[in-house]
Amino acid sequence: MVDRVSYTEEAAELLRRLTEIHGPLMFHQSGGCCDGSSPMCYPDGEFKTGNADIQLGDLAVAGLARPISFWMSKNQYEYWKHTHLTVDVVKGRGSGFSVEAPEGVRFLIRSRLFSDQESEALGLL
């Protein structure tokens, strides 16, 4: 099985800390209106997803009881469907909407194109 989304260890450390503060979390990949294309992290269920969104996967972070769902709008997915996303964290203040904003860091997406083998396994070829 090919994962569409993963995370760095730095992101995992922050996610564990944020889960202690806010409870279970979720991500929605921003379309660019508020904070570029940064992934926005919310308490689980605070961002309402619907028929216009697709769940790319669940981040199973060691030390957390529940995985963190990762969502994106279907329209944006059409542009990104050939891309593996990695959630990372960098210093600097991001959007006030995302739970990491007061921490002086922000989540960031690093991406790469899927290999031919990954694309075939995902049914993209």
Side-chain angles (χ1 to χ4, degrees), residues 12-25 41-44 46 63-64 68 98-105 107:
E13 289 174 21
L14 180 58
L15 289 166
R16 285 188 284 269
R17 193 166 67 242
L18 292 171
T19 297
E20 288 179 16
I21 298 168
H22 301 282
L25 301 170
C41 187
Y42 303 98
D44 191 32
E46 186 174 297
L64 297 183
I68 298 170
S98 196
V99 294
E100 82 281 4
E103 305 294 316
V105 295
F107 288 111

Side-chain angles (χ1 to χ4, degrees), residues 56-117:
L56 295 183
D58 289 314
L59 301 175
V61 177
L64 297 183
R66 291 178 44 187
I68 298 170
S69 61
F70 193 101
W71 295 82
M72 177 183 284
S73 75
K74 286 181 180 176
N75 289 337
Q76 187 175 1
Y77 171 74
E78 286 304 311
Y79 293 104
W80 291 47
K81 66 184 174 185
H82 297 284
T83 308
H84 178 271
L85 308 177
T86 301
V87 179
D88 200 358
V89 63
V90 295
K91 290 182 181 179
R93 190 161 165 83
S95 171
F97 298 119
S98 196
V99 294
E100 82 281 4
E103 305 294 316
V105 295
R106 65 185 179 94
F107 288 111
L108 174 82
I109 288 294
R110 302 199 186 273
S111 62
R112 66 170 175 81
L113 291 176
F114 286 120
S115 68
D116 288 345
Q117 294 81 10

